[in-house]
Amino acid sequence: MPKHYYRSTLAALLLSAACAAQAHITRIEIDSVESPTFGGVAFGAVGAYEKLKGKAYGELNPAHALNRNVALLDKAPRNAAGRVEYSVDILILKPVDMSRGNRALIYDTVNRGNLRAIEVFNIDGVPGNNPSSAKDAGDGFLFKQGYTIVSSGWPGDALPGNNRLTARYPVAKEPDGKSITQTLTLELPFVKPMHSISLGWDGGDTRPYPAVMERANEARLYRRPARTAPRELIPQSEWSFAKCPDGKNATPSDADVCYPAGFTPNYVYDLVYVARDPVVMGIGFASTRDLVSFLRHEHSQANPLMRGGPSEIRWAIGFGRSQSGRYVKDFVYQGFNLDEEKRVLFEGLMPLISGSRLMSINAPFGMPSRTPGHYGGDQFPHTYATVEDPISKKRDGWLARCTAQNACPKVMHMDSGTEAWLGGNALVITDASGKKDQPVPDNVRLYYFASTQHNPAGSAPDRPIPVGICKHPA
């Protein structure tokens, strides 16, 4: 999808958006400052930028009305004040002189811990999680406009590495301290033959839920030659919970599956097993809410945006691409676009290539880094307007809660051609029967970029288009 489309919609969001005690961020620790960053390049009238990296620490009151719907928060360990503590990695890109910025904050919602905004909006912006050089900034579009870019590690299952932004949330326990358990189904697709794989699946970058080894005999491994084909049971004697990269030497592990005969791309595999120790993943929504609220409304030197002079962030835009696009929609749907002082967080929302899907995060054993399927995210509702599902007869919509809160953002929803096939895009605009159009609220704009794909196919001398990736690269 061409970048000038993103730029136009971003500018329109900003133009359309026209201190009390702050939320529960207890402190922000900045571990490193690079000032100026991007090789000292001056971005027009805005000037140079600086990069701040560190951690935000917060705590949640489980009894607060806006926190009660965080799944398993009531079973998380608490401090002496009765609060649940957490911390998240943060990265901030801001003008050195904040008075020269445009007073708008973009929350670059990380995708499995990875930054996205620079590569999406800045032509020739280099993908990566530690942007520092002039080359990394590309043409500097976002910086020439004066945006402050903030990212934080909301995914509780993203593991450290490659400068990913990660989070540290508590594990929920039963009142007697025993592990909470649940039977899970994991879908395991492969792009190359392998003998073993982590239960976290995503190349070892995702934290898995460990198996209850005392109940390993209850586990089942299946395979399917196609997504909708019937399952074939693989005898339990042919696989185990273990690591065996070579298919021969197995080391027992409660977080890996060993199949000596070999996993193959010719099948999709399903593992059904009893897992333990759910992370309170729903804290991710609250951590985003409280961090953005703190940066917008805290005017002391505890706020890192106060570096370089007083900061007045008048508008905030939540941006996400693919997984993180689903996150920003679910963030609003679940009622988190209002902070504990009843202030709106995001005046604008820009979910990119998210289709009709939400997330699997605010639930027991949530798996935010997984693609919807067995893990939730494809469930009703599929629209911004509140409508009735002709199948379940339920009424709901992505903006139902923020409408009741008087906290709805202006939304620019964009999908590529891929989402029509794999992301349920049709359900955003037509009902489940396929017989009538769905209403679109006045504060929502829907954009469909036909003949484009989910990920960029742009070519450059050092990034040639892979053979066969698409016929008409965009």
Side-chain angles (χ1 to χ4, degrees):
M1 295 168 68
K3 295 190 179 185
H4 65 268
Y5 287 116
Y6 307 148
R7 295 177 169 192
S8 299
T9 51
L10 181 62
L13 268 176
L14 181 58
L15 290 171
S16 65
C19 164
Q22 41 80 18
H24 293 288
I25 293 294
T26 57
R27 72 186 190 277
I28 291 180
E29 295 181 355
I30 299 300
D31 302 320
S32 68
V33 176
E34 188 174 271
S35 182
T37 189
F38 300 123
V41 171
F43 296 99
V46 179
Y49 265 65
E50 59 185 8
K51 178 178 63 180
L52 315 179
K53 298 176 68 174
K55 293 180 175 61
Y57 296 82
E59 58 181 32
L60 298 174
N61 178 3
H64 194 286
L66 291 177
N67 297 330
R68 288 177 194 155
N69 67 332
V70 176
L72 297 181
L73 187 64
D74 59 328
K75 294 187 176 182
R78 305 185 190 188
N79 61 20
R83 306 294 178 89
V84 176
E85 298 180 350
Y86 67 88
S87 67
V88 296
D89 297 336
I90 62 171
L91 187 146
I92 297 171
L93 296 168
K94 59 179 284 296
V96 172
D97 182 350
M98 287 293 285
S99 69
R100 297 167 71 177
N102 66 0
R103 297 187 293 178
L105 180 153
I106 293 177
Y107 182 74
D108 179 12
T109 312
V110 295
N111 184 314
R112 297 169 178 85
N114 301 297
L115 305 180
R116 287 292 181 258
I118 290 178
E119 66 172 289
V120 168
F121 291 103
N122 291 9
I123 293 176
D124 291 329
V126 177
N129 298 323
N130 189 30
S132 297
S133 69
K135 181 179 179 181
D136 292 338
D139 71 347
F141 170 77
L142 291 176
F143 311 124
K144 292 174 183 176
Q145 308 305 311
Y147 287 102
T148 293
I149 315 296
V150 175
S151 295
S152 64
W154 65 267
D157 59 352
L159 292 173
N162 196 30
N163 291 305
R164 284 185 292 273
L165 301 186
T166 60
R168 289 150 294 279
Y169 304 144
V171 171
K173 296 286 186 179
E174 297 290 4
D176 60 3
K178 292 183 179 179
S179 290
I180 296 173
T181 64
Q182 182 174 309
T183 299
L184 302 182
T185 298
L186 301 184
E187 184 178 80
L188 304 173
F190 292 82
V191 297
K192 64 180 180 180
M194 299 176 67
H195 294 290
S196 67
I197 189 171
S198 165
L199 299 183
W201 174 67
D202 191 23
D205 295 339
T206 302
R207 179 179 290 104
Y209 288 118
V212 178
M213 298 304 287
E214 296 79 8
R215 300 178 64 180
N217 63 321
E218 300 176 32
R220 299 290 183 268
L221 182 65
Y222 302 89
R223 68 181 186 182
R224 295 170 279 142
R227 187 181 181 102
T228 58
R231 287 174 168 178
E232 303 171 12
L233 179 66
I234 298 175
Q236 200 168 40
S237 60
E238 296 182 10
W239 65 275
S240 63
F241 286 106
K243 292 182 179 180
C244 62
D246 60 1
K248 298 177 182 178
N249 301 301
T251 302
S253 168
D254 61 3
D256 298 87
V257 178
C258 167
Y259 182 37
F263 296 105
T264 167
N266 296 328
Y267 292 92
V268 175
Y269 298 82
D270 295 305
L271 175 68
V272 181
Y273 76 108
V274 180
R276 61 176 172 84
D277 296 335
V279 175
V280 187
M281 293 291 184
I283 291 176
F285 289 136
S287 72
T288 295
R289 176 196 68 197
D290 291 353
L291 174 64
V292 174
S293 177
F294 183 93
L295 295 176
R296 293 192 66 174
H297 301 295
E298 174 57 48
H299 298 296
S300 76
Q301 289 300 313
N303 183 348
L305 298 190
M306 298 296 289
R307 278 180 53 90
S311 168
E312 182 186 3
I313 297 296
R314 293 190 59 187
W315 307 282
I317 297 170
F319 163 75
R321 172 180 159 192
S322 190
Q323 179 225 31
S324 51
R326 293 186 279 115
Y327 176 88
V328 295
K329 289 191 307 187
D330 212 354
F331 176 89
V332 171
Y333 170 62
Q334 300 214 25
F336 286 92
N337 202 39
L338 200 69
D339 71 12
E340 292 186 3
E341 303 299 327
K342 298 185 178 180
R343 297 171 299 207
V344 172
L345 269 296
F346 296 126
E347 284 83 9
L349 207 70
M350 187 182 289
L352 175 63
I353 54 177
S354 64
S356 65
R357 294 169 157 178
L358 296 177
M359 292 294 297
S360 171
I361 172 172
N362 192 21
F365 290 90
M367 291 183 256
S369 291
R370 287 280 186 161
T371 300
H374 293 301
Y375 323 105
D378 279 326
Q379 70 274 14
F380 178 81
H382 305 110
T383 61
Y384 290 95
T386 297
V387 298
E388 181 178 286
D389 177 26
I391 297 173
S392 67
K393 304 304 180 183
K394 295 179 180 178
R395 285 188 61 83
D396 206 351
W398 293 332
L399 301 184
R401 287 171 179 80
C402 70
T403 298
Q405 297 170 325
N406 194 27
C408 288
K410 291 181 170 62
V411 181
M412 289 190 168
H413 175 114
M414 291 166 281
D415 280 327
S416 75
T418 304
E419 280 67 60
W421 298 95
L422 298 176
N425 166 268
L427 292 173
V428 180
I429 54 176
T430 59
D431 75 348
S433 69
K435 295 180 180 179
K436 66 178 183 179
D437 292 341
Q438 297 286 31
V440 179
D442 290 341
N443 61 315
V444 176
R445 299 293 183 269
L446 305 176
Y447 298 89
Y448 178 62
F449 297 94
S451 300
T452 62
Q453 58 185 29
H454 189 76
N455 288 315
S459 179
D462 59 338
R463 291 180 286 130
I465 297 174
V467 175
I469 194 168
C470 61
K471 185 175 182 181
H472 301 294

